[in-house]
Amino acid sequence: MPCMSKIATDLIHHPYQPPAGFNAPQPGVYKASTVIFPTVAAMRARNWKTKTGYTYGLHGTPTSFTLEERIATLEGGKHCLLVPSGLAAIASVNMALLKAGDEVLLPDNVYGPSKALAEGELKNWGITHQLYDPMDPQDLHARISTRTRLVWLEAPGSVTMEFGPLEELAAVCRKEGVTTALDNTWGAGLAFNGFDAGADIVVQALTKYPSGGGDVLMGSIVTRDDALHQQIKLCNMRVGWGVGINDVETVLRSLPSIALRYRAHDLAARQLARWLQGRTEIAQVQHPALAGSPGHGHWRALCGPAGDAAQDDGNGGLAAGLFSVVFQDSFSMAEVDAFCDALRLFKLGYSWGGPVSLVVPYDIPLMRSAALGTWKHKGVLVRFSVGLEAVQDLQADLAQALGTLG
Ligand SMILES: Cc1ncc(COP(=O)(O)O)c(C=O)c1O
């Protein structure tokens, strides 16, 4: 056994050092919980609040810092923090900015689990919330009080797809001195710049387009303001949010193709959405880039083609590969469920942004505030996430599944 113990030590403390100067297009992958310091003095001097050195794996490695810098660039911000999921990014902003007695405002069409967080943990911590009409800056304005510390923005709502007047909503908050946080998962940092639209904090579920593979969960929190960044970073340190470096590597690998993938998803989704507009089974198509969809004008102003609208072939500007349809009232929930079950290429599954097309039926009235009355349709809504399959195959799949309806 003495021999065994020597080999154990030799394999851990091996003298070989690879030659310096390795260079490759893809950034290196550095994984660590422990970071090694050369001296005790260096250990004591290192400051985890900065990116000028390394203290502990949870606070960043060269690989996670690299992805943070790239996501900050994607969003047009200055600082980025990575967290374990998009929902964790939302939770982190709430935890860092809100305390007992404060109020947070959410758009009525907000990502559902964000509402659940407000109704659950935030309420338990003495933080109240109100929902506002995402299409109406005056409604938002009327709800802001001296207790309002944070307003969430999201455009479009990722299920019902109404595109609110983001810039006007953000301007109302700025005038009232209230911090705004935008869930920019739909725009992905590509369709529009969240900071230029007026947001103070921009979060994204990197799970969707930045990952692009449907195989990673991660979120980002981007700021331009140094103090705001430090406030959120401090909170993240205290609660121990961290990301796995294998996942960071996967996102770094996908990121260079995000603009190409986003545009491909976009073009296919618009083609399918337009085709569905012509189907008699469908009462309404909700896609912000299509005329007649709620908030199309706001989408056009923020993400639409520059120049003369008359010259646009309908594919100008940028939009995610996501849209929803509302079936005619005559179709029951069970019939619409059967339509979804009949789809072959569109798989039943949550999330979006990956290569596989996905579909989910939703019971929207259950998800919306009856008091606000922002959802007027009676038919069942189905949300499609268009993947990277050939669009004619996806259209044929929709046609055959519609054909099964009575
Ligand atoms: C708009 C939006 N924000 C945030 C999230 C949360 O992302 P994650 O699944 O990484 O928690 C999602 C996920 O579907 C989403 O659609």
Side-chain angles (χ1 to χ4, degrees):
M1 293 309 284
C3 208
M4 280 284 284
S5 55
K6 168 126 180 44
I7 192 69
T9 303
D10 285 351
L11 289 177
I12 296 167
H13 298 276
H14 199 280
Y16 175 79
Q17 293 294 321
F22 177 76
N23 203 355
Q26 199 61 9
V29 179
Y30 294 91
K31 300 181 200 176
S33 49
T34 297
V35 165
I36 294 177
F37 299 88
T39 62
V40 173
M43 190 175 216
R44 293 207 171 116
R46 213 56 75 73
N47 180 357
W48 58 260
K49 289 184 189 165
T50 68
K51 279 191 183 168
T52 54
Y54 305 97
T55 47
Y56 187 59
L58 200 54
H59 307 157
T61 77
T63 313
S64 61
F65 284 177
T66 300
L67 182 59
E68 286 179 344
E69 292 301 311
R70 291 183 187 193
I71 298 295
T73 300
L74 176 69
E75 297 281 23
K78 184 171 172 195
H79 307 285
C80 171
L81 296 164
L82 299 176
V83 288
S85 69
L87 185 53
I90 295 167
S92 163
V93 171
N94 285 329
M95 285 171 75
L97 268 64
L98 301 171
K99 60 181 187 324
D102 290 345
E103 184 157 274
V104 57
L105 303 184
L106 312 173
D108 193 28
N109 59 358
V110 73
Y111 171 60
S114 179
K115 206 183 268 188
L117 178 63
E119 288 163 353
E121 275 63 27
L122 296 190
K123 183 169 174 234
N124 294 342
W125 298 337
I127 299 157
T128 59
H129 76 279
Q130 277 191 67
L131 302 171
Y132 67 88
D133 181 341
M135 307 302 277
D136 184 358
Q138 282 179 356
D139 180 65
L140 170 62
H141 194 201
R143 290 173 196 280
I144 293 179
S145 75
T146 50
R147 291 199 304 113
T148 313
R149 288 283 163 277
L150 176 66
V151 171
W152 279 96
L153 305 167
E154 191 177 326
S158 65
V159 174
T160 43
M161 308 301 295
E162 313 91 333
F163 206 104
L166 259 192
E167 290 163 296
E168 282 179 64
L169 295 167
V172 163
C173 300
R174 180 134 310 180
K175 189 160 158 275
E176 297 299 326
V178 178
T179 304
T180 50
L182 168 73
D183 183 335
N184 201 21
T185 306
W186 179 92
L190 295 167
F192 66 96
N193 181 308
F195 293 101
D196 292 351
D200 298 307
I201 303 166
V202 176
V203 307
Q204 194 181 146
L206 304 181
T207 308
K208 319 294 180 198
Y209 291 110
S211 136
D215 53 357
V216 172
L217 287 155
M218 200 180 293
S220 56
I221 306 160
V222 177
T223 43
R224 283 183 174 171
D225 183 80
D226 298 342
L228 207 45
H229 168 70
Q230 285 303 336
Q231 187 178 351
I232 302 168
K233 185 173 170 108
L234 188 61
C235 173
N236 283 7
M237 293 304 172
R238 288 174 178 154
V239 298
W241 298 126
V243 288
I245 298 299
N246 286 341
D247 289 342
V248 172
E249 179 195 11
T250 306
V251 179
L252 276 170
R253 186 168 175 177
S254 295
L255 211 53
S257 62
I258 187 172
L260 291 173
R261 289 183 283 107
Y262 192 87
R263 183 63 175 150
H265 289 287
D266 175 12
L267 287 177
R270 286 196 219 191
Q271 187 173 324
L272 295 176
R274 274 196 291 265
W275 179 77
L276 282 163
Q277 272 182 326
R279 293 290 305 207
T280 53
E281 299 89 342
I282 305 300
Q284 168 75 21
V285 177
Q286 305 271 104
H287 186 310
L290 265 59
S293 190
H296 170 67
H298 301 139
W299 170 83
R300 210 175 172 85
L302 202 58
C303 323
D308 187 357
Q311 301 295 317
D312 179 29
D313 64 358
N315 288 322
L318 270 180
L322 212 58
F323 68 92
S324 295
V325 298
V326 182
F327 275 79
Q328 302 288 3
D329 307 359
S330 51
F331 293 107
S332 67
M333 182 80 78
E335 285 172 309
V336 175
D337 287 357
F339 158 79
C340 294
D341 281 336
L343 288 163
R344 294 177 193 139
L345 292 179
F346 282 90
K347 301 297 177 192
L348 287 163
Y350 296 106
S351 204
W352 33 289
V356 176
S357 292
L358 298 170
V359 62
V360 186
Y362 285 95
D363 192 350
I364 300 299
L366 275 184
M367 299 161 63
R368 299 293 275 259
S369 150
L372 273 174
T374 55
W375 185 252
K376 308 246 183 287
H377 297 283
K378 297 213 165 42
V380 180
L381 179 141
V382 171
R383 204 268 310 269
F384 296 99
S385 160
V386 178
L388 295 172
E389 302 93 339
V391 68
Q392 63 272 25
D393 293 338
L394 294 174
Q395 187 171 310
D397 192 26
L398 292 170
Q400 69 76 23
L402 285 170
T404 65
L405 286 171

